[in-house]
Amino acid sequence: MKIQTVFLDRDGVLNEDKEDKDEYLRSEEEIIVYPFVPEAIRKLTEKGIRIFIISNQSGINRRFFDEKTVEKMFQKVITYTESTGGKITDYYYCPHLPEEECSCRKPKTGMLQKAVKEYQLSLKESIMIGDALTDYEMANNAGIPFILVRTGKGKRTEEKLKEKGAKFMVVDNLESAVSFLVKDIP
């Protein structure tokens, strides 16, 4: 399978996440990017793979933080992530609450479809890497492969997916996922 695009969840994949599912990262000071992320992003970039972050950020509509704060949080992640020469093509986030039933909140595919349209991407050459059940479900809804990382909420998600009898690939972290993806790319 030829991969041209990688979609990444943010919290739990690129940066540490709160252990409690009801807790939110609320400021750029709370963002701690995993140390292996810049090198992983560089490797993808060197192979000509476009990278997009797709993230639910309902804390905005819950009034835990505003969009300006979210933008600062993304910029901190991106600045650190690109520190070794990698490139994040773009990022998308959904500010909506689950009960708003928008088309962009994962597991729906609105953010992914927006990226596809704006950048003329092929889903046949795309993959999603995430740590949450909604990441898996979005990938499944879009018909693209999914890699689960055990960082963030990944270990709990792995158990839930096993209980469901779901088929998925699981690795320890983004670094392992990238190593798998680029191993056969010249």
Side-chain angles (χ1 to χ4, degrees):
M1 176 180 170
K2 182 179 179 184
I3 299 294
Q4 290 294 317
T5 306
V6 172
F7 294 102
L8 303 171
D9 180 45
R10 191 189 78 184
D11 301 333
V13 176
L14 298 172
N15 56 270
E16 294 180 13
D17 198 2
K18 298 277 187 170
E19 286 298 316
D20 182 346
K21 67 178 181 140
D22 295 325
E23 273 295 311
Y24 291 81
L25 295 169
R26 297 177 188 233
S27 69
E28 66 182 302
E29 291 78 27
E30 291 184 64
I31 295 285
I32 300 170
V33 179
Y34 293 118
F36 50 79
V37 167
E39 185 64 17
I41 297 301
R42 184 190 62 75
K43 286 178 181 178
L44 290 172
T45 301
E46 284 181 350
K47 298 296 183 180
I49 297 172
R50 292 177 284 191
I51 306 157
F52 295 85
I53 303 171
I54 306 285
S55 180
N56 286 343
Q57 293 293 321
S58 67
I60 296 169
N61 281 12
R62 294 176 200 275
R63 309 232 187 290
F64 294 154
F65 43 80
D66 57 23
E67 288 200 50
K68 184 177 180 182
T69 300
V70 170
E71 292 290 336
K72 287 180 181 177
M73 292 164 77
F74 272 100
Q75 287 310 311
K76 181 174 181 178
V77 170
I78 291 168
T79 298
Y80 184 79
T81 297
E82 293 180 343
S83 65
T84 60
K87 176 76 175 125
I88 301 292
T89 305
D90 209 343
Y91 64 94
Y92 299 88
Y93 61 87
C94 170
H96 304 110
L97 302 171
E99 54 270 22
E100 291 180 76
E101 297 186 26
C102 66
S103 64
C104 56
R105 184 175 174 80
K106 293 184 285 183
K108 293 184 181 172
T109 62
M111 289 184 283
L112 191 143
Q113 294 297 337
K114 186 174 182 183
V116 166
K117 184 177 180 182
E118 289 180 0
Y119 289 90
Q120 294 80 51
L121 306 174
S122 168
L123 287 181
K124 291 178 183 172
E125 298 176 335
S126 300
I127 195 164
M128 174 73 194
I129 301 172
D131 70 319
L133 189 57
T134 53
D135 298 325
Y136 167 80
E137 291 170 341
M138 184 191 71
N140 197 39
N141 290 338
I144 63 174
F146 175 73
I147 299 176
L148 176 69
V149 294
R150 289 187 176 113
T151 50
K153 296 173 178 64
K155 290 178 185 172
R156 284 185 299 221
T157 301
E158 181 178 6
E159 293 307 313
K160 289 178 190 173
L161 290 173
K162 284 180 179 177
E163 287 171 14
K164 289 180 158 200
K167 294 184 180 183
F168 61 99
M169 179 180 181
V170 63
V171 296
D172 287 337
N173 55 40
L174 181 63
E175 180 179 41
S176 300
V178 168
S179 292
F180 170 78
L181 290 175
V182 303
K183 72 178 184 217
D184 295 326
I185 301 174

